[in-house]
Amino acid sequence: MLSLLLLSSLAIQSVAVMEVQVPDVPVVAMHGRDVLLNCSFGVPGPVTLQDLSVFWQLTDTQRSVHGFWEGRDQLADQAEAFSNRTALFPTRLARGDASLLLRRVEVADEGSYTCFVRLRNYSSAALLLLVAAPYSKPVVTLLPDSNLRPGDAVALTCVAYGGYPAAGVLWQDGGGHNLTENATTSLVANEEGLFSLHSQLSVVLEPNSTYTCRLTHPVLGEESHASVTVTGQNMAFPQVALWVTGALALCLLGLLIALAAVCRRKIQESCEEARREAEEAKELEEDESKTAMTPLKS
């Protein structure tokens, strides 16, 4: 009787000892790389793999991720999305380590995973997997990019590629003022679930102004930015103004040429008239001289 009570006491202790533990904080996995989902359980003594069962599944959908019992992997019910991408470590299982290796992480892998362990008794725990991919360095462009002048309405565009999840976007001017309320941001996912980010800011242009687009990755905590500066030298006259200026210059030149021609003709006429008057005066003088030299008849 005493022996039976001792055995019962030991069984209760063994039940109380085993506890499945997983990380309390989300596990961050980089897109395209491998990640280890840690899961451990307390063992009261030496573990025989034939007596151990480990089962990983998606918490929400209960789809099978990886199974192990009777001393070997059991993958008949494994979801197709995880085929050839998961592994347990038998040598570690005997030491209470039921961690799962997930290879070539995809965006679709993000979610909650539950680690089930049965050894004399049954216990489980769930962890959260977050997938992250860094964005390319943002690029800012200005449209139109020429013939600008103060007061023009322009569109600034900020683009970045290949990131996940959605990045935070902040637009600022040279003084650090937040202009984001005037921006429109869109995300387009590719076949891998990675985003192309496109943000457009509408502003009224000021001379010597700097505009900055800042991206913040919500999981990795990384920040990147790009800026464009519009100086006074970049602001040329608009095309219409150039045409008007050229036309006025041509008109003025034409007027000057016409005026010069008129003046020349007037000068020539004045000179010709003066020459004729001089000739007439000379002829008159000669006539008077001839009259004075003629003798008077008696």
Side-chain angles (χ1 to χ4, degrees):
M1 184 66 178
L2 181 59
S3 299
L4 181 59
L5 290 175
L6 289 174
L7 290 173
S8 299
S9 177
L10 289 174
I12 294 172
Q13 290 178 13
S14 66
V15 170
V17 167
M18 197 187 80
E19 180 182 359
V20 175
Q21 295 182 333
V22 295
D24 294 330
V25 296
V27 177
V28 177
M30 299 301 296
H31 180 267
R33 300 183 185 177
D34 300 347
V35 65
L36 188 66
L37 305 182
N38 290 309
C39 176
S40 61
F41 57 95
V43 291
V47 175
T48 301
L49 295 185
Q50 292 290 337
D51 299 330
L52 175 67
S53 296
V54 175
F55 186 71
W56 280 88
Q57 73 174 24
L58 293 175
T59 307
D60 298 331
T61 63
Q62 298 184 350
R63 289 191 301 163
S64 174
V65 177
H66 197 102
F68 180 96
W69 61 85
E70 296 180 353
R72 62 188 180 87
D73 290 328
Q74 303 287 347
L75 305 178
D77 297 328
Q78 185 182 50
E80 184 178 355
F82 297 101
S83 179
N84 299 316
R85 296 177 53 220
T86 61
L88 293 173
F89 305 93
T91 56
R92 298 183 185 179
L93 285 173
R95 300 195 299 268
D97 186 351
S99 299
L100 177 74
L101 176 66
L102 179 59
R103 302 186 182 93
R104 303 180 302 279
V105 171
E106 304 171 356
V107 170
D109 294 332
E110 189 171 73
S112 177
Y113 290 74
T114 301
C115 174
F116 295 90
V117 178
R118 183 172 65 83
L119 179 64
R120 300 188 182 91
N121 72 318
Y122 172 90
S123 186
S124 66
L127 60 81
L128 179 62
L129 174 65
L130 299 180
V131 178
Y135 284 85
S136 65
K137 182 175 176 57
V139 176
V140 175
T141 55
L142 174 68
L143 291 176
D145 58 359
S146 60
N147 301 323
L148 298 175
R149 57 182 176 178
D152 284 350
V154 297
L156 295 156
T157 301
C158 178
V159 294
Y161 303 96
Y164 185 87
V169 180
L170 172 65
W171 283 96
Q172 293 177 306
D173 61 15
H177 301 103
N178 190 342
L179 307 176
T180 311
E181 64 178 10
N182 299 320
T184 301
T185 302
S186 61
L187 294 167
V188 177
N190 62 14
E191 63 278 3
E192 296 181 293
L194 303 179
F195 291 131
S196 294
L197 182 146
H198 182 282
S199 184
Q200 182 169 296
L201 173 70
S202 298
V203 295
V204 175
L205 197 62
E206 297 180 3
N208 302 315
S209 296
T210 298
Y211 302 94
T212 301
C213 171
R214 298 185 182 276
L215 301 185
T216 303
H217 198 289
V219 176
L220 301 178
E222 298 175 347
E223 181 181 292
S224 56
H225 69 276
S227 302
V228 61
T229 300
V230 184
T231 63
Q233 288 74 17
N234 296 126
M235 296 186 181
F237 287 106
Q239 199 68 22
V240 173
L242 292 175
W243 280 104
V244 172
T245 303
L248 289 175
L250 289 175
C251 290
L252 181 59
L253 180 61
L255 288 174
L256 290 175
I257 293 174
L259 181 61
V262 171
C263 291
R264 181 178 181 183
R265 186 168 64 253
K266 290 293 185 181
I267 292 174
Q268 288 177 345
E269 291 177 354
S270 298
C271 292
E272 185 67 24
E273 184 178 353
R275 187 180 63 77
R276 286 199 304 270
E277 290 178 353
E279 290 179 351
E280 290 176 357
K282 184 177 180 182
E283 290 177 354
L284 180 60
E285 184 179 352
E286 289 177 351
D287 291 342
E288 291 178 351
S289 177
K290 289 179 180 180
T291 303
M293 293 177 62
T294 302
L296 298 173
K297 294 183 181 181
S298 55

